[in-house]
Amino acid sequence: MNAAATLVIGATGTTGSRTAAQLVAAGHRVKAASRRATPLPGAQPVRFDWYDPATFADAVSGADRVYLVPPVGDPDPAVVMVPFLRQAREAGVRRAVLLSSSAVPEGGPAVGVVHRALPGLFDQWAVLRPSWFMQNFTGAHLHADSIRGDGVILTAAGSGRVGFVDADDIAAVAVHALTGDRAPDTDLVLTGPETLSHDDVAVILTEVTGRPVLHRHLSHEDMRERLAAMMSPKFVALLAGMDRAIAEGAEDRITDTVERLTGRPPHSFREVARRELTDAR
């Protein structure tokens, strides 16, 4: 068992909380990093803020591996992430696992720049490139908010299909990449077991919850206008462009990565919707 700690950045977030919980359940020491040092069962809370370098040293102290969730909504996260990663390496961190996106290749925009830098900073590394999260429809996300409030999903993705993936499955792969005898030393595209359109998602949500949900098709321009009040113009362009890419088929794929690395098949969206949106346990 690894005596040093695993630092989980974003430990209160969608994948970070699940990664921390699965590491703790497997008997690993975990430093759970968040802006408020929020306590998590079995983990050591530590304050961490990407935009406050004074929090870096305490976070990496005693850790030899790190799970990296980029700062949310930052169109150029490398500015704050790369200096942290250099400091982490100097402090003894030797393995880094980065959360990226299937829509962002190495060297691409935003976190793609960090992806490109990672192999030059650590001998042991992995980049997780999950498809869109199933939890976008069940948790804290614009889609989930509009579903709860108005019974609608608003996208400019048209009838494009996506291999939506469960955050629990992302965390399971993260744990494997962090604790396995050998780091993957590559990027890993993660999907669920099938591709679905947003129309399909609306049908499944309607069937599971018994509450009507519709997918409203927006134009690319309407989507940009909807997002403009919530985030920076650069990030608006990035997200709206991802919807356009979905419409053009960029996410219409499935991979065997989850099953190959965890030994079990990925969860379906219907399973996740039942687990997270009904009282069944």
Side-chain angles (χ1 to χ4, degrees):
M1 189 63 63
N2 179 40
T6 300
L7 174 65
V8 176
I9 292 176
T12 59
T14 302
T15 67
S17 62
R18 290 165 168 84
T19 299
Q22 290 185 29
L23 285 165
V24 168
H28 297 279
R29 287 185 56 214
V30 174
K31 297 185 75 171
S34 62
R35 285 193 298 272
R36 295 178 180 84
T38 303
L40 294 177
Q44 176 190 346
V46 60
R47 183 171 176 270
F48 180 87
D49 187 333
W50 282 116
Y51 303 103
D52 183 1
T55 66
F56 292 178
D58 282 348
V60 298
S61 176
D64 70 349
R65 56 199 71 198
V66 60
Y67 179 65
L68 301 158
V69 177
V72 177
D74 190 331
D76 193 10
V79 171
V80 292
M81 292 186 74
V82 171
F84 166 77
L85 293 173
R86 292 194 180 112
Q87 185 170 336
R89 181 188 61 190
E90 291 167 5
V93 172
R94 54 190 179 82
R95 186 182 300 197
V97 175
L98 170 68
L99 180 69
S100 182
S101 163
S102 61
V104 181
E106 179 184 359
V111 72
V113 178
V114 185
H115 178 168
R116 173 162 287 173
L118 204 65
L121 292 165
F122 298 95
D123 292 333
Q124 302 178 41
W125 62 277
V127 177
L128 308 188
R129 295 180 56 211
S131 185
W132 295 84
F133 296 2
M134 293 177 180
Q135 279 71 18
N136 289 355
F137 305 105
T138 66
H141 188 273
L142 286 177
H143 288 331
D145 290 344
S146 67
I147 290 165
R148 284 188 288 261
D150 304 309
V152 296
I153 303 168
L154 302 164
T155 84
S159 58
R161 304 181 72 81
V162 178
F164 295 105
V165 62
D166 179 14
D168 281 8
D169 291 333
I170 299 169
V173 172
V175 169
H176 177 91
L178 287 162
T179 65
D181 290 340
R182 295 177 60 89
D185 296 336
T186 189
D187 66 321
L188 302 164
V189 176
L190 311 179
T191 74
E194 61 189 341
T195 59
L196 300 169
S197 69
H198 287 84
D199 294 308
D200 296 330
V201 167
V203 168
I204 292 170
L205 290 172
T206 300
E207 292 173 354
V208 168
T209 66
R211 180 169 175 240
V213 178
L214 297 173
H215 174 214
R216 186 175 300 162
H217 295 237
L218 301 181
S219 68
H220 184 72
E221 292 71 25
D222 286 343
M223 191 64 183
R224 287 178 66 113
E225 185 175 336
R226 168 173 158 75
L227 297 173
M230 308 174 198
M231 53 195 72
S232 71
K234 192 171 181 180
F235 206 65
V236 166
L238 179 67
L239 288 183
M242 287 178 175
D243 264 17
R244 174 175 280 170
I246 290 171
E248 295 171 351
E251 294 292 328
D252 189 0
R253 59 178 167 177
I254 58 172
T255 69
D256 68 349
T257 309
V258 171
E259 184 163 13
R260 181 163 47 83
L261 270 64
T262 70
R264 59 162 179 78
H267 299 123
S268 71
F269 180 64
R270 188 176 295 273
E271 288 178 273
V272 170
R274 284 176 176 156
R275 184 181 78 210
E276 301 193 3
L277 297 177
T278 72
D279 290 331
R281 293 291 183 267

